Amino acid sequence: IVGAGPGDKSLLTLKAYRLIRRAEVLIYDYLISEDIIRLAKKGCILINHKRNSTSRERLETFKNAILKFYAKKGPIVRLHAGDPMLFGMGNEEIIFLKEKGINFEVVPGITSALGVPSSVGIPITSRGISSTVVIFNGHPISQNEINWDSLARINGTLIALMGVSNASNIAYNLINSGLDPHVPVCVISDGTLKTQRVSVGTLQGLGELIVRDGIRPPAVIVIGNVVKSLKA
């Protein structure tokens, strides 16, 4: 169970690179770049999760691939975008592997929540500006899944993943819970790739910013005064 990092293949860990090169079977997210997939050796069985597949469908694909191919001599690599244990299905996959008595290893990856802002020069924490970071799911299953009042009070940096389609609701909930509507925000799409785009605005205009710049997933939304470092 391997993390592929934020996008750029040069940001793979050495261990991830070596496992991909050795893999007999590669199961991967649709967000994984073709540059990384092309590292797989000739004859590697490639199994990809489609863009619109549900989490249940992705888990079933993983289970079926493991049961079909686990007896192969080389490794089966399940490649996750970012880090497999942050808003991925790593834990659900681990539970299945444990139930079946199948040996596994988890290889961490650079999560886009931290790596992408850093790559454009935004310090996630900065002395005197922010000593707290909260990473949250920008598209929660239910409205009650996130404590917006707590997020609005942290006086630090907020980072939303998977939040592009829900950006207006994120802004509304945070402002309604007391966060300054003028706090700066930055949206980074296709982070670390050649197609990377950086858009800056304020929390109250987050939804309009997404529409104006035609931002599409994947993107990282950074909310907080650390964003001002981009203008320094």
Side-chain angles (χ1 to χ4, degrees), residues 59-137:
L59 187 58
E60 284 304 309
T61 297
F62 171 80
K63 290 179 178 180
N64 291 336
I66 295 297
L67 294 176
K68 184 176 181 180
F69 297 114
Y70 79 94
K72 281 186 169 288
K73 293 181 180 179
I76 299 175
V77 173
R78 166 61 168 107
L79 198 57
H80 290 257
D83 183 274
M85 307 303 273
L86 180 65
F87 298 142
M89 300 183 66
N91 189 51
E92 293 161 277
E93 293 163 355
I94 287 171
I95 290 171
F96 170 76
L97 295 173
K98 286 180 177 179
E99 289 174 348
K100 298 298 181 182
I102 297 172
N103 292 329
F104 66 91
E105 180 181 9
V106 178
V107 179
I110 300 172
T111 171
S112 59
L114 304 181
V116 168
S118 296
S119 73
V120 301
I122 296 177
I124 302 307
T125 61
S126 183
R127 190 173 303 175
I129 299 175
S130 173
S131 59
T132 306
V133 180
V134 175
I135 303 168
F136 68 98
N137 184 344

Side-chain angles (χ1 to χ4, degrees), residues 136-152:
F136 68 98
N137 184 344
H139 202 90
I141 295 174
S142 67
Q143 179 64 22
N144 296 329
E145 190 175 331
I146 294 177
N147 187 326
W148 297 103
D149 290 340
S150 294
L151 288 185

Side-chain angles (χ1 to χ4, degrees), residues 12-80:
L12 285 167
T13 64
L14 284 173
K15 193 165 193 176
Y17 173 83
R18 290 166 181 160
L19 285 170
I20 294 168
R21 295 288 289 173
R22 289 178 49 219
E24 294 290 342
V25 180
L26 186 65
I27 310 165
Y28 60 96
D29 292 334
Y30 75 89
L31 291 173
I32 306 295
S33 72
E34 285 298 319
D35 285 345
I36 292 177
I37 302 307
R38 281 195 288 267
L39 294 173
K41 68 182 181 181
K42 185 177 180 180
C44 178
I45 299 168
L46 302 178
I47 302 171
N48 69 313
H49 294 312
K50 304 300 183 183
R51 176 181 287 270
N52 295 319
S53 60
T54 65
S55 57
R56 179 176 295 180
E57 289 170 339
R58 293 194 295 274
L59 187 58
E60 284 304 309
T61 297
F62 171 80
K63 290 179 178 180
N64 291 336
I66 295 297
L67 294 176
K68 184 176 181 180
F69 297 114
Y70 79 94
K72 281 186 169 288
K73 293 181 180 179
I76 299 175
V77 173
R78 166 61 168 107
L79 198 57
H80 290 257

